[in-house]
Amino acid sequence: MVKSIEWVDGKVKMLDQTRLPLEVVFIECKNYMEVAEGIKKLIIRGAPAIGIAAAMGVALAAPGIDAGDFKTFMKGLAPAMQSMIDTRPTAVNIKWAVDRLEKMLYNNRDRGIPELKELIVREANAILEEDIRTNRAIGKWGAEFLHDGDTVLTHCNAGALATGGYGTATAPILLAIEQGKKIQVIADETRPVLQGARLTAWELMQAGVPVTLITDNSAGALMKNGMIDLAIVGTDRTAANGDVANKIGTYSVAVLCREHSIPFYVAAPVSSIDFSIPGGDRIPIEERSGREVTHINGEYQIAPEGVNVINMAFDVTPSKYVTAIFTERGAFRPSDISKLEKEDSDIETLRLIP
Ligand code: MRU
């Protein structure tokens, strides 16, 4: 299985996703600034993966903090925590991971500083390990909704590369195949950064999953021709009402699915649900450089010099278009996911059965 990120000998090792699929190159980050830079430049990307990177970035900052007491230690850690949060605004997983580290440290504040430094590394690695288990659980629930012979449309990359491993949107596909179902994938290329063409196509081919690449604007025609049975996408942040922020173009896919009566599923770890945000209109949407649109791979110019560009990296799909959300705790109607904030005894009654 491809590993997007690992903690190796006190450093953070990342697969450089900007160079895929042509080169498989790893970089090593020795300090939190290098991790922040890696997140901003999309060397590592995908909501769960950048959450893990943020936690590991904070862990890299810890050894250098000269503090004799808890308060001074937390003050020393604050710039690293803030710089992680400032990298990319849409994926809630970054803040989730930083908050989790902070909470863990407060819960252990009576221990000595050397022990706290070790605990941060342990917690960051636990976030990575848990993410892989979470994705397998998402896969288990989601696979129930996949039938033998299905063709699944994906958008962007919500696979192993976007997570600690296994992926979120890819997990139901991989699990269904493990169960013996014949599944194939159609991957949207996902302009402008081409995560579908460069990353999803690459990792599914590595995993032996049949995958066909299409341009983003082909999806409607394929649906009309009966060539797509369902769509599964990931999310960077899902609001409490089930509105889903994901890679730009996801909204168009969802509307097309509705028009063609095709189920539109979202695969989301509970850590990607922002229970503090009531609706999608409050989700911050990252705007990226126009150069991503005017140039292919930052190099080959395809638009007139000086043209105005709008380059929103994400859009919000209203919950009314979402058939179900696959989480590690079950598959739910979008209107029910706010209940996941609490460990709820009647959660069984909310779960969707395919
Ligand atoms: O800009 P990116 O490549 O980080 O965008 C990634 C996505 O939109 C993914 O679909 C999302 O983060 C979910 S990853 C499991």
Side-chain angles (χ1 to χ4, degrees), residues 94-227:
I94 294 182
K95 176 90 170 54
W96 173 86
V98 169
D99 285 352
R100 176 167 156 168
L101 288 185
E102 201 168 15
K103 196 169 159 204
M104 180 279 294
L105 289 168
Y106 272 97
N107 287 342
N108 290 283
R109 58 181 303 159
D110 296 334
R111 298 178 191 237
I113 305 298
E115 198 180 340
L116 291 184
K117 290 180 179 178
E118 277 173 30
L119 284 178
I120 300 183
V121 176
R122 211 178 301 160
E123 192 73 3
N125 278 294
I127 291 174
L128 167 62
E129 295 306 323
E130 277 171 34
D131 186 61
I132 299 170
R133 286 198 295 277
T134 295
N135 294 339
R136 285 207 59 105
I138 290 172
K140 184 183 101 121
W141 292 107
E144 302 289 318
F145 292 74
L146 267 70
H147 305 103
D148 192 24
D150 273 351
T151 300
V152 184
L153 178 71
T154 66
H155 191 71
C156 193
N157 173 265
L161 290 165
T163 62
Y166 218 68
T168 60
T170 50
I173 297 164
L174 296 173
L175 241 294
I177 291 173
E178 272 179 37
Q179 291 165 354
K181 295 175 194 164
K182 211 162 161 268
I183 306 289
Q184 60 162 320
V185 174
I186 294 199
D188 277 348
E189 63 172 350
T190 319
R191 279 277 292 153
V193 180
L194 303 171
Q195 290 93 333
R198 295 187 306 103
L199 308 177
T200 303
W202 180 79
E203 70 164 76
L204 291 181
M205 286 172 80
Q206 296 277 314
V209 176
V211 56
T212 303
L213 181 64
I214 60 167
T215 56
D216 298 325
N217 36 20
S218 304
L222 265 69
M223 288 184 194
K224 194 156 174 271
N225 293 343
M227 293 164 77

Side-chain angles (χ1 to χ4, degrees), residues 25 47 176 209 304 317:
V25 178
V209 176
T317 298

